[in-house]
Amino acid sequence: MPNYLEELKQGLKLLKLEWQEDLAQYKKKFLNTSVADKKKEGITWHPILLKKTKIGMGERLIIEVERTDTSYPSAFGSGKSVSFYSTQEGYHGAEFRVNGVVNQAKKDTLIVTLQADEVPDWMDSGRLGVDLLFDEASYREMEGALKKVIQSESPRLTELRDIAYGEENPKFREVPSLNLEGLNFSQNLACQKIESAQDFAIVHGPPGTGKTTTLIAAIQQAVEQNLRLLVTAPSNAAVDLLVEKLVDRGIATLRLGHPARVEEKILNQTLDAKIAFHDSYRDLKKLRKETESYLRLAKQYKRNFGPEERAQRKLMYQEVSRIREAAEQLEDYIRSDVYQRTQVFASTLVGASSHHLKGMIFDIVFIDEAAQGLEAATWIPILKAKKVVFAGDHCQLPPTIKSYEAARQGLSTTLFEKIIHRQPHTAQMLQVQYRMPESIMGFSNQHFYEGKLEAAENTRSHAFSPDEPVLEWIDTAGSGYTDQQEAESLSTFNPEEARFACRHLNDTIKRIGFGLFKENGWTVGLIAPYSAQVRYLRHLIFETYEFPNLKAFADLITIDTVDGFQGQERDLMLISLTRSNESGEIGFLADERRMNVAITRAKRKLILIGDSSTLAQHPFFDELLRYFEEKEAYRSVWEFM
């Protein structure tokens, strides 16, 4: 058996390992667990109040609920599947549950599309709760896709698989040089690479280099050639961003997927919305109403009726069948008309398995954020492709893996990464970054990008003022700040470092000018690698009275883990590195790609707070610390005591 088939079969084995681990973690949190314990894990809200109900796009029932107890964490997020229940006496069975999909999750409210025609009576009876559900459908789709790639009955799929695994060489054709308006030289080269590639093309987009801009330009070019296109990404948010930019350019885009998983501002691009806005939709609605009225009439006949009534009821049911058939035909016509007018189809990687795309083959499949998609998920849209374009950065965050063992054995290595290493001439790196000044970019440029990046002209003005340093590392060595483990989550936090970080952030904003931040809408990011430290920082800023100035900036400050900042930027970024201990233990801070994300979010100023005696035992942090020293950006915490 060829090596690459062995590799794919190993990938299938690791996917199953991840599936089992994900399910085991869910069961551990969920099964045979009290409501109180599930609340501590953030996987249930109880009690909740039903605030609003409305009929949304595509006649779907949407409800809004609010939790009354906000003292525990929340794992709920948009796109997640949920199940409502009641703890009221007499409502404990499975029949007293109704499922839904979260449209929007805020700190204390959820907006959910219910999988029901009406709100069940028991939801008004009080003592209502909502559980987070485990989603096995995605794993089934990924498993199915990998099996199809292994067995490959399609000549084109076999070819793409063999090229992806380095068994065959990719083909390119000669195309004229491009000089598209609004693109720099390396972005034009990337579009040229996409144009010339016949199998795979990769746009390697380091932070701030305009990866999305380049991708949109390439998609527009393909649209002008009347090619059939599918645009995908691992997350709903990444797909929605692309759809928004395509629609802004006047490209007719159809966003596939459950409307609850789609950003509100692009709901009009969903299939439900396009059907509802179609000229023939009124006729379809009329047919549905007729069906309902005939069904109501038919149900009026009781069991003890004579032959005449029986014949009458039979006629009514026949009429219902006839009208339903007409409605189905009309709906098929509307749907196919919507498809005819669509220039670009858009979905998540797993969403590309939608029955709406059944049997469709695309001239080009574009995959954005490809370095964050599991290989198994990435193959789902490729099954429908003649040619594939990847965009991403394998020097930033890999996919999130729950199983340590699966990650160790290679599940976190993406198809993007495999192709860029095995077929390097398929890739074009974007070389001009527009986000940060040279000094913020410099370390990542040396360490990750072979010194090929250059800072665009506009970044020279990216500073708060000529006197405000752009870089700072404040060393907490010898201060006595020590990291601790949170008892419940086992996540690491460092309370003294968190307090100092908040104080220093407050002083920095005060020195630059609170008014200037408000006036210019300058944003602030506060990053910690550990969720326990993030929780502690949020507590300090939003729930205590120690930092009233920072609390007043709630709309401009974002506090999150590194993963939460992928793809984002802030004018001022402060990173609390958290780890400080005598044994030099730095845990998953040793993940260099995660740190690359953290230190490339800042637009005007980057501050790192960390203990050099703990961190610099690792070669990466030793090199990073030396870079700050070279830039005269190193300071000791003792200067601020």
Side-chain angles (χ1 to χ4, degrees):
M1 185 185 287
N3 280 347
Y4 65 88
L5 285 181
E6 285 291 351
E7 198 176 323
L8 278 160
K9 287 189 172 177
Q10 170 71 355
L12 193 57
K13 196 177 96 181
L14 297 180
L15 180 71
K16 286 178 178 170
L17 202 61
E18 171 71 358
W19 187 345
Q20 286 162 7
E21 178 60 27
D22 200 359
L23 184 58
Q25 285 186 21
Y26 173 80
K27 283 180 174 172
K28 188 180 169 188
K29 288 178 182 175
F30 202 87
L31 296 180
N32 308 316
T33 309
S34 68
V35 169
D37 285 342
K38 287 192 286 188
K39 280 167 74 168
K40 280 180 191 168
E41 293 287 352
I43 55 171
T44 201
W45 280 15
H46 184 277
I48 56 173
L49 300 172
L50 185 59
K51 300 285 286 180
K52 289 180 196 164
T53 64
K54 66 171 186 177
I55 301 296
M57 206 68 79
E59 310 296 306
R60 294 175 194 265
L61 179 61
I62 294 171
I63 65 167
E64 183 179 335
V65 297
E66 181 179 51
R67 61 173 175 169
T68 52
D69 181 357
T70 60
S71 62
Y72 52 90
S74 171
F76 289 77
S78 62
K80 301 265 188 177
S81 298
V82 295
S83 176
F84 289 91
Y85 63 91
S86 173
T87 53
Q88 188 107 324
E89 200 62 47
Y91 293 111
H92 292 178
E95 69 273 24
F96 298 111
R97 271 191 177 262
V98 63
N99 292 356
V101 177
V102 178
N103 297 35
Q104 194 180 35
K106 291 186 180 170
K107 188 169 178 272
D108 304 321
T109 58
L110 293 178
I111 296 172
V112 178
T113 300
L114 273 196
Q115 287 159 9
D117 295 328
E118 56 186 11
V119 176
D121 295 340
W122 55 265
M123 283 186 78
D124 290 320
S125 63
R127 297 179 69 179
L128 192 62
V130 60
D131 281 334
L132 199 56
L133 292 180
F134 182 72
D135 177 24
E136 278 197 298
S138 300
Y139 284 108
R140 283 197 206 99
E141 294 296 349
M142 288 191 277
E143 181 186 44
L146 271 188
K147 284 179 176 173
K148 281 179 185 167
V149 176
I150 291 166
Q151 290 150 9
S152 189
E153 293 168 6
S154 145
R156 184 55 181 151
L157 177 61
T158 305
E159 215 173 350
L160 289 172
R161 179 193 68 190
D162 292 353
I163 293 166
Y165 277 86
E167 298 291 312
E168 281 187 33
N169 292 323
K171 298 176 292 297
F172 296 89
R173 60 190 178 87
E174 283 290 320
V175 295
S177 295
L178 288 177
N179 189 15
L180 300 175
E181 196 182 337
L183 298 190
N184 65 44
F185 77 97
S186 66
Q187 291 171 332
N188 270 302
L189 284 174
C191 287
Q192 201 173 318
K193 177 76 76 177
I194 291 167
E195 183 81 16
S196 66
Q198 293 181 273
D199 312 293
F200 289 105
I202 290 177
V203 178
H204 176 196
T209 52
K211 175 172 58 71
T212 306
T213 303
T214 309
L215 210 54
I216 297 294
I219 293 166
Q220 182 152 25
Q221 268 199 299
V223 163
E224 286 164 10
Q225 294 166 33
N226 291 318
L227 299 176
R228 180 174 260 192
L229 309 176
L230 174 63
V231 172
T232 66
S235 69
N236 284 295
V239 178
D240 289 345
L241 177 66
L242 288 168
V243 171
E244 197 181 330
K245 290 188 179 297
L246 289 168
V247 171
D248 285 347
R249 292 213 178 189
I251 295 169
T253 308
L254 178 63
R255 170 64 160 103
L256 295 166
H258 195 298
R261 296 188 167 99
V262 174
E263 285 270 346
E264 203 164 339
K265 55 189 164 192
I266 61 157
L267 269 175
N268 288 352
Q269 313 314 320
T270 61
L271 188 57
D272 278 4
K274 295 203 176 199
I275 288 173
F277 295 142
H278 195 275
D279 295 342
S280 302
Y281 182 66
R282 194 175 291 171
D283 299 333
L284 180 63
K285 220 170 172 185
K286 194 175 164 190
L287 287 172
R288 284 176 179 164
K289 275 188 178 166
E290 279 183 48
T291 307
E292 284 170 19
S293 61
Y294 273 110
L295 275 173
R296 268 198 307 274
L297 284 169
K299 283 174 183 170
Q300 281 175 1
Y301 292 101
K302 306 295 177 205
R303 290 189 177 191
N304 55 343
F305 53 78
E308 208 172 294
E309 285 89 350
R310 191 174 286 112
Q312 192 67 28
R313 190 175 78 155
K314 190 179 176 187
L315 280 172
M316 283 181 183
Y317 277 124
Q318 283 172 349
E319 190 61 15
V320 165
S321 298
R322 187 192 67 75
I323 298 168
R324 270 189 178 151
E325 198 176 317
E328 278 169 24
Q329 285 174 354
L330 182 55
E331 196 166 352
D332 285 346
Y333 158 72
I334 294 172
R335 193 178 292 116
S336 91
D337 192 40
V338 168
Y339 285 6
Q340 289 296 319
R341 298 178 193 192
T342 297
Q343 293 170 295
V344 174
F345 291 80
S347 75
T348 58
L349 298 177
V350 174
S353 61
S354 164
H355 65 278
H356 294 302
L357 297 178
K358 197 174 178 185
M360 288 173 78
I361 296 293
F362 294 90
D363 296 307
I364 311 178
V365 167
F366 289 86
I367 302 175
D368 194 14
E369 303 292 2
Q372 280 190 282
L374 285 175
E375 178 177 353
T378 307
W379 279 111
I380 297 171
I382 298 176
L383 296 173
K384 301 177 180 300
K386 291 182 186 174
K387 165 176 160 178
V388 185
V389 175
F390 292 109
D393 181 11
H394 57 298
C395 301
Q396 291 187 71
L397 286 173
T400 303
I401 311 283
K402 298 261 172 63
S403 163
Y404 170 78
E405 195 50 40
R408 193 184 65 78
Q409 291 187 46
L411 188 67
S412 57
T413 306
T414 61
L415 191 60
F416 178 97
E417 214 172 328
K418 288 179 180 180
I419 297 174
I420 208 168
H421 290 313
R422 286 170 180 164
Q423 307 284 14
H425 44 301
T426 59
Q428 172 62 46
M429 183 173 125
L430 303 179
Q431 289 170 257
V432 184
Q433 72 78 24
Y434 297 88
R435 177 179 298 160
M436 54 207 137
E438 181 98 41
S439 54
I440 296 179
M441 174 193 84
F443 177 78
S444 283
N445 191 25
Q446 287 170 19
H447 192 87
F448 295 99
Y449 304 112
E450 300 171 5
K452 290 179 182 174
L453 278 180
E454 54 185 77
E457 191 69 31
N458 71 306
T459 62
R460 291 187 181 181
S461 62
H462 285 191
F464 287 114
S465 72
D467 305 324
E468 184 62 37
V470 170
L471 284 177
E472 275 187 293
W473 178 311
I474 299 170
D475 187 2
T476 63
S479 62
Y481 300 173
T482 308
D483 63 44
Q484 304 171 24
Q485 220 174 39
E486 198 176 57
E488 285 176 10
S489 68
L490 302 182
S491 179
T492 304
F493 72 115
N494 186 327
E496 287 306 317
E497 182 174 295
R499 284 183 191 284
F500 175 75
C502 292
R503 266 200 310 278
H504 189 65
L505 181 61
N506 189 68
D507 294 346
T508 303
I509 295 174
K510 187 178 177 182
R511 185 175 62 251
I512 295 166
F514 284 109
L516 287 173
F517 271 83
K518 285 282 190 188
E519 197 179 304
N520 295 302
W522 286 335
T523 52
V524 180
L526 189 47
I527 287 184
Y530 297 92
S531 52
Q533 185 77 340
V534 167
R535 281 193 290 277
Y536 198 76
L537 288 164
R538 283 180 182 154
H539 167 74
L540 286 174
I541 288 179
F542 299 127
E543 293 168 31
T544 69
Y545 295 99
E546 286 184 66
F547 305 102
N549 290 329
L550 293 179
K551 197 170 184 177
F553 273 75
D555 54 333
L556 298 176
I557 293 180
T558 312
I559 307 171
D560 211 337
T561 58
V562 181
D563 302 50
F565 273 100
Q566 172 98 341
Q568 298 188 46
E569 63 181 32
R570 295 292 183 272
D571 291 285
L572 170 60
M573 286 295 320
L574 188 149
I575 306 168
S576 166
L577 292 165
T578 311
R579 297 311 294 251
S580 179
N581 52 72
E582 288 178 6
S583 56
E585 177 59 49
I586 68 166
F588 82 132
L589 267 193
D591 182 345
E592 297 180 9
R593 294 192 290 187
R594 184 169 263 104
M595 282 312 301
N596 186 33
V597 172
I599 62 179
T600 54
R601 303 302 99 200
K603 198 172 167 185
R604 299 172 191 277
K605 183 176 178 73
L606 171 66
I607 305 168
L608 266 63
I609 297 175
D611 179 351
S612 64
S613 64
T614 299
L615 296 164
Q617 292 183 45
H618 189 279
F620 174 83
F621 283 99
D622 186 43
E623 192 185 331
L624 181 59
L625 190 60
R626 271 188 281 125
Y627 177 80
F628 273 76
E629 286 171 340
E630 283 164 20
K631 296 289 176 187
E632 297 180 348
Y634 171 87
R635 301 177 75 181
S636 167
V637 73
W638 292 101
E639 294 176 41
F640 303 91
M641 290 296 193

